Amino acid sequence: MRRTDTLIIGGGPAGAAAAIGLAHAGRAPLIVERRALPGGIVCGGFLGWDAIASLRRLGVDRVALGAAPITRLRLIAGGRSTETWLPAEAGGLSRARLDDAMLALAERTGAIVLRGVTVRRVTGTRADLGNGEAIEASRLIVATGKHAVRGAERGAPGGSIGLRTTIAAPPDLAGTIELHLFRGGYAGLLVQEDGQANLCVSVRPGRLREAGGQPAALMADLAREAPAIAELGMAATAWDAIAAIPYGWRARTTAPLTYRVGDQAAVIASLAGDGIAIALASGRAAADAILSGDPAEAHIARFAGRAAGPLRHAEIIRRIAESPAAAAATIRVIDRLPWLARQAARLTRIGH
Ligand SMILES: Cc1cc2nc3c(=O)[nH]c(=O)nc-3n(C[C@H](O)[C@H](O)[C@H](O)COP(=O)(O)OP(=O)(O)OC[C@H]3O[C@@H](n4cnc5c(N)ncnc54)[C@H](O)[C@@H]3O)c2cc1C
């Protein structure tokens, strides 16, 4: 059986950030990532300013990655729209590009990365892999995003559904993140590094069920409520999907020697665009905790406190966004008081 000091399960932004933090301190971990190639993650590709700052500290430069600059927010609901500046410059970047760069940096810093290998089950600090091998670690970092690992489930409730596709970018999208609000959900649209647009939808299960469970039928259903996004979405040929997203949930406890990071620690409503920042912050915090000998249980309780405010504010904003009457009223208010949108965006940030 292979033995290692720290085993990180999952090589998304949270797992990679933890790995880089540990490796920088000479405690290079082992990462097991089930994807052989990056991509296929349901994410809007919005890199907030705090995520950009965290990446810079880790040694990942958003300009070098080619992230498309985003400075404006356009809100669209019920035939109305309003536009305002973001509090700071953000970026549009595909997760394939981000995850690849972060794992490459983790490797350069000294971490060992096993790609295309799945952890099937965890027992204590032992991990059984899909290839029949087993790893015994001194501690685990569970960084599997929204996916459960048998034996180390996060115990979160079910929730929304996420859908993502890539489409040709509309001409007036450059520099702007668009949020299209509709009954039971919302869609985010931005230009990413390759000039294509990333279209990401979050929807309550009931709303997708009304459309027979099919993303294409959901887009057709939205033709009257959200015509611009419906037209773009109907042109999409393939969608990535993820179910049971527990927005607003955070881990308050964990098993001994089992650190949790990213969506395994806290799941912020996706319209806040802060999930990647939380993943990076939690990865770094877990590495710091391990380096200073902080037990996993104490660490997760502290991180839950840090995430509480941003999660609570994002949930309030999500409820408004998913209710047509409240969303339309909000757009009218923001039209007159655009600084309110910037203030709301600040309240959902975890910081870096
Ligand atoms: C619809 C939607 C839109 C979003 N848009 C944005 C946005 O625009 N901006 C933003 O900041 N956040 C956004 N988020 C949130 C963001 O995507 C997540 O918070 C972030 O990806 C969490 O990072 P992570 O590293 O915890 O998990 P992930 O990014 O999900 O990475 C987990 C990794 O673990 C691997 N893995 C899983 N199970 C196993 C296993 N058993 N063995 C080995 N490997 C495994 C996976 O392959 C994956 O690489 C969005 C979320 C949703 C649902």
Side-chain angles (χ1 to χ4, degrees):
M1 189 183 335
R2 194 167 181 161
R3 288 179 194 282
T4 188
D5 184 48
T6 301
L7 170 63
I8 302 180
I9 309 174
I20 294 165
L22 287 170
H24 270 315
R27 296 269 298 271
L30 173 65
I31 304 179
V32 177
E33 165 53 50
R34 70 178 183 177
R35 289 176 295 155
L37 295 170
I41 296 276
V42 175
C43 184
F46 177 82
L47 264 192
W49 44 97
D50 47 351
I52 289 172
S54 279
L55 285 171
R56 200 181 308 122
R57 282 170 76 150
L58 288 170
V60 181
D61 177 34
R62 77 150 182 87
V63 178
L65 290 180
I70 296 180
T71 52
R72 294 184 70 76
L73 165 69
R74 189 177 296 144
L75 278 173
I76 303 159
R80 283 180 161 269
S81 79
T82 186
E83 206 169 310
T84 182
W85 296 102
L86 291 172
E89 186 172 303
L93 188 70
S94 70
R95 284 295 304 276
R97 176 68 67 90
L98 175 66
D99 292 11
D100 200 29
M102 289 199 68
L103 273 186
L105 177 59
E107 269 178 319
R108 281 201 305 279
T109 320
I112 296 169
V113 183
L114 301 183
R115 286 189 179 77
V117 181
T118 301
V119 172
R120 292 268 175 240
R121 166 183 277 283
V122 162
T123 315
T125 53
R126 170 196 160 114
D128 290 294
L129 310 182
N131 62 10
E133 291 174 18
I135 301 173
E136 180 65 51
S138 301
R139 68 192 63 74
L140 299 179
I141 297 182
V142 182
T144 52
K146 290 154 198 85
H147 302 276
V149 188
R150 275 172 71 197
E153 293 87 350
R154 65 183 166 176
S160 293
I161 292 169
L163 305 165
R164 194 209 69 85
T165 191
T166 307
I167 53 172
D172 63 343
L173 189 60
T176 304
I177 165 99
E178 280 188 4
L179 279 180
H180 298 251
L181 315 178
F182 54 84
R183 176 175 58 85
Y186 50 86
L189 185 69
L190 54 70
V191 178
Q192 54 188 30
E193 76 282 357
D194 58 4
Q196 295 275 95
N198 188 332
L199 168 57
C200 206
V201 179
S202 172
V203 64
R204 296 212 181 234
R207 184 78 212 249
L208 189 62
R209 256 195 316 273
E210 287 172 27
Q214 296 301 319
L218 172 68
M219 290 297 129
D221 269 7
L222 291 176
R224 280 183 47 214
E225 253 173 279
I229 211 70
E231 192 186 330
L232 291 169
M234 280 192 282
T237 50
W239 293 85
D240 296 320
I242 180 98
I245 308 164
Y247 291 135
W249 172 87
R250 64 202 154 111
R252 290 182 170 88
T253 57
T254 186
L257 302 170
T258 304
Y259 295 79
R260 290 183 183 276
V261 293
D263 283 354
Q264 286 287 315
V267 184
I268 194 162
S270 51
L271 85 174
D274 211 40
I276 296 170
I278 290 180
L280 297 171
S282 65
R284 224 185 78 215
D288 288 347
I290 290 168
L291 293 171
S292 59
D294 245 11
E297 301 92 314
H299 165 69
I300 203 73
R302 213 175 24 255
F303 192 78
R306 184 174 167 193
L311 261 59
R312 195 172 52 246
H313 292 123
E315 280 305 282
I316 295 169
I317 296 169
R318 180 168 75 96
R319 293 219 174 84
I320 293 171
E322 292 181 346
S323 148
T330 302
I331 286 193
R332 278 195 295 274
V333 172
I334 289 176
D335 221 16
R336 290 200 194 142
L337 306 169
W339 57 268
L340 271 178
R342 286 191 286 281
Q343 188 55 21
R346 285 193 193 99
L347 287 172
T348 60
R349 303 291 121 178
I350 191 152
H352 52 88

